[in-house]
Amino acid sequence: VQLQASGGGSAQAGASLRLSCEASGRTFSRYVMAWFRQDTGNVRTVVAAVPPTSWNGASTYYADSVKDRFTVSRDNAKNTVFLQMNNLKPDDSAVYYCAASDAHFSDYWNEAMYIYWGQGTQVTVSS
């Protein structure tokens, strides 16, 4: 599986950006898909995650810092996962990565479980 992220850029605080991540291959729907971000301190943390289609539990996860502002969604027909980012803040500035995992969704937080990564897209939010 190859992941191609796009949609990053520069924005003013309060604006919106939408990230996209298109996956190659035919098994996209079976993967947990997540967005991570890595700040200038090189700390990478999970921002949002969406389970595979077969999952019957909670539908998505969000970090507290982005809850009610960011929305993660997936379109299995297009092999694409999205991250809609609204009301952006300067603290949202980071390189954003999409990632795919075939582990149990309860491990969405564990970076080590993700086996495929996109190339990263820069988001810069100015005040």
Side-chain angles (χ1 to χ4, degrees):
V1 175
Q2 291 184 327
L3 304 178
Q4 181 69 41
S6 61
S10 299
Q12 294 284 325
S16 299
L17 286 174
R18 189 192 197 202
L19 305 183
S20 300
C21 176
E22 185 174 359
S24 64
R26 300 180 181 180
T27 58
F28 173 77
S29 64
R30 63 179 282 241
Y31 291 103
V32 175
M33 297 301 299
W35 288 95
F36 287 76
R37 66 187 182 188
Q38 184 169 334
D39 60 21
T40 54
N42 285 329
V43 175
R44 190 154 61 182
T45 56
V46 63
V47 173
V50 58
T53 306
S54 59
W55 179 254
N56 291 321
S59 60
T60 52
Y61 159 82
Y62 296 97
D64 286 343
S65 59
V66 307
K67 207 168 288 183
D68 299 325
R69 299 188 298 120
F70 290 12
T71 302
V72 63
S73 61
R74 67 190 301 161
D75 185 336
N76 290 329
K78 296 181 179 180
N79 279 9
T80 302
V81 62
F82 303 97
L83 185 67
Q84 178 66 43
M85 306 185 293
N86 297 331
N87 191 19
L88 284 163
K89 301 178 180 180
D91 284 348
D92 295 321
S93 298
V95 178
Y96 285 71
Y97 297 89
C98 59
S101 167
D102 60 0
H104 196 271
F105 185 56
S106 60
D107 287 327
Y108 66 83
W109 55 272
N110 190 345
E111 181 181 344
M113 294 291 103
Y114 290 85
I115 53 177
Y116 302 110
W117 291 83
Q119 82 283 14
T121 184
Q122 177 71 48
V123 172
T124 303
V125 183
S126 56
S127 58

